[in-house]
């Protein structure tokens, strides 16, 4: 088994087609088939099921896919770590954030980082916080913003910021309110993500501490759909202001502060044991710097100083 075979196999398994993988890899399909067959012969198990329309991984193939992603990621990281010591940072970096931060953070961050390190290719991901955490532990991400959690095994993290959740409604619905109590929030029809989404767990904990039941009328795990349902007046939700900043500014949504406050803490984390490079250090600095520029408008309480200030 060699790195080339793993790379070939992973392309075929992910694309579920020998012909499409051969085209992407720029390898003749018969040669690609021979490499896959040699890998199966060496391991003594079938890795792919052949169908008329393509291929799918067998259970053994699924296991190899998981390991191949990690191995190839580490090989790429080793190459990038060496190349990063050229005169200008280069290589590939992956950065993830919870969906609630994606819209407000990722576009501006991408622009800033390209100006700072134009030779580094940046892969940006937003998703459920649990998924971002899992991918970071697996090494599929180099750096991520995560909810602060007791579960930090395999990660190195630093406090980043805190923010309060607010009650969000359609435009004008909550505009006349200075604030609401959690009991008043519970009286509204609510739309929330399903469990075990971290945001849902935060809300449930806050409700429980006040002796309230958390019973949303709709559960939505897609942030864009959740926000749209609130915008058209279907119900209210609880989110940080940063998740809907633009829609609050335009008047399409309205918000009210909640008492007692529901606060979420966010950290900047990377896999334990991952070697820092000039490129990764530059990304960390840009993330912290950009969050500092957004803190005032978004009401973030900062927990980490800019790296140059602490050097």
């Amino acid at each position: 088994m060699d790195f080339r075979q793993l790379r070939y196999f992973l392309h075929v398994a992910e694309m579920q087609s020998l012909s499409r993988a051969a085209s992407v890899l720029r390898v003749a399909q018969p040669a690609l088939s021979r490499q896959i067959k040699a890998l199966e012969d060496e391991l003594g198990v079938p890795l792919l099921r052949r169908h008329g329309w393509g291929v799918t991984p067998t259970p053994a193939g699924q296991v190899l896919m998981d390991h191949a992603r990690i191995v190839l990621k580490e090989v790429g990281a080793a190459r990038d770590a060496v190349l990063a010591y050229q005169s200008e940072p280069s290589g590939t970096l992956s950065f993830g954030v919870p969906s609630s931060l994606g819209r407000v953070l990722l576009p501006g961050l991408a622009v800033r980082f390209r100006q700072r390190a134009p030779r580094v290719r940046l892969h940006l991901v937003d998703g459920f916080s649990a998924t971002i955490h899992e991918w970071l532990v697996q090494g599929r991400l180099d750096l991520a913003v995560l909810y602060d959690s007791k579960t930090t095994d395999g990660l190195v993290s630093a406090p980043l910021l805190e923010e309060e959740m607010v009650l969000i409604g359609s435009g004008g619905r909550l505009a006349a309110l200075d604030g609401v109590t959690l009991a008043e929030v519970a009286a509204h029809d609510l739309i929330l993500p399903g469990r075990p989404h971290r945001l849902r767990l935060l809300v449930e904990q806050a409700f429980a501490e006040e002796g309230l039941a958390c019973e949303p009328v709709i559960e939505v795990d897609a942030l864009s759909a959740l926000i749209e349902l609130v915008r058209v007046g279907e119900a209210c939700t609880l989110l940080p202001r940063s998740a809907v900043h633009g829609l609050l500014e335009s008047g399409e949504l309205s918000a009210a502060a909640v008492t007692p406050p529901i606060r979420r803490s966010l950290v900047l984390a990377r896999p334990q044991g991952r070697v820092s490079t000039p490129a990764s250090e530059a990304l960390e600095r840009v993330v912290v710097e950009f969050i500092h520029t957004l803190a005032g408008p978004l009401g973030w309480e900062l927990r980490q100083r800019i790296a140059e200030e602490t050097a």
Side-chain angles (χ1 to χ4, degrees):
M1 186 189 311
D2 58 35
F3 296 136
R4 181 179 62 174
Q5 287 178 323
L6 286 177
R7 178 168 168 262
Y8 285 0
F9 165 74
L10 192 57
H11 271 77
V12 172
E14 289 180 338
M15 304 186 78
Q16 298 189 3
S17 168
L18 280 160
S19 60
R20 287 197 296 270
S23 177
V24 169
L25 292 166
R26 298 184 180 181
V27 176
Q29 186 172 334
L32 182 59
S33 296
R34 286 194 297 272
Q35 290 292 334
I36 300 299
K37 182 63 167 59
L39 189 57
E40 290 179 320
D41 289 344
E42 178 182 348
L43 295 174
V45 292
L47 299 172
L48 299 171
R49 290 194 182 97
R50 276 72 174 174
H51 310 281
W53 48 266
V55 297
T56 56
T58 64
Q62 289 281 3
V63 171
L64 185 60
M65 285 177 70
D66 292 339
H67 285 279
R69 289 190 182 104
I70 295 170
V71 169
L72 294 174
K73 173 75 173 176
E74 288 302 315
V75 170
R79 181 191 62 243
D80 292 343
V82 174
L83 293 177
Y85 287 94
Q86 297 173 340
S87 58
E88 187 177 0
S90 62
T92 301
L93 290 173
S94 52
F95 175 65
V97 298
S99 296
S100 57
L101 281 177
R103 181 179 296 181
V104 71
L105 188 58
L106 294 184
L109 177 70
V111 171
R112 281 173 170 252
F113 188 68
R114 285 197 67 195
Q115 293 170 348
R116 184 74 60 86
R119 294 182 60 192
V120 178
R121 184 172 63 184
L122 194 58
H123 177 204
L124 301 174
V125 178
D126 77 16
F128 290 137
S129 54
T131 301
I132 297 298
H133 183 278
E134 179 184 353
W135 286 7
L136 194 62
V137 171
Q138 292 175 349
R140 295 174 64 178
L141 295 174
D142 297 295
L143 188 70
V145 175
L146 297 174
Y147 285 90
D148 194 5
S149 168
K150 302 295 184 184
T151 309
T152 57
D153 291 348
L155 300 178
V156 176
S157 64
L160 189 59
L161 63 91
E162 288 188 1
E163 60 182 345
E164 290 187 6
M165 313 286 283
V166 294
L167 183 65
I168 305 290
S170 56
R173 181 171 181 171
L174 306 174
L177 299 177
D178 292 329
V180 291
T181 66
L182 273 181
E184 291 169 331
V185 171
H188 283 78
D189 287 342
L190 294 177
I191 303 173
L192 293 171
R195 304 182 83 251
H197 193 286
R198 179 66 176 165
L199 186 150
R200 172 66 175 273
L201 297 179
L202 281 175
V203 172
E204 286 188 349
Q205 180 181 346
F207 274 41
E209 290 173 355
E210 296 295 308
L212 301 169
C214 181
E215 298 176 344
V217 295
I218 306 174
E219 293 182 341
V220 182
D221 286 346
L223 184 65
S224 58
L226 185 155
I227 292 172
E228 181 62 17
L229 283 167
V230 174
R231 191 189 69 81
V232 300
E234 189 62 31
C236 294
T237 193
L238 286 158
L239 286 171
R241 288 183 184 273
S242 60
V244 290
H245 176 69
L247 295 174
L248 290 173
E249 290 288 302
S250 68
E252 294 180 72
L253 293 176
S254 56
V258 176
T259 305
I262 306 173
R263 301 178 67 85
R264 74 169 182 176
S265 300
L266 298 170
V267 299
L268 188 60
R270 56 182 170 82
Q272 196 168 42
R274 179 64 56 85
V275 177
S276 294
T277 66
S280 65
E281 291 168 359
L283 178 57
E284 290 194 35
R285 285 194 297 271
V286 172
V287 170
V288 175
E289 290 168 7
F290 188 46
I291 282 176
H292 273 246
T293 68
L294 297 174
L298 298 181
W300 286 341
E301 186 175 336
L302 298 173
R303 287 288 180 261
Q304 185 177 102
R305 299 170 63 191
I306 297 177
E308 286 81 356
E309 295 177 353
T310 60

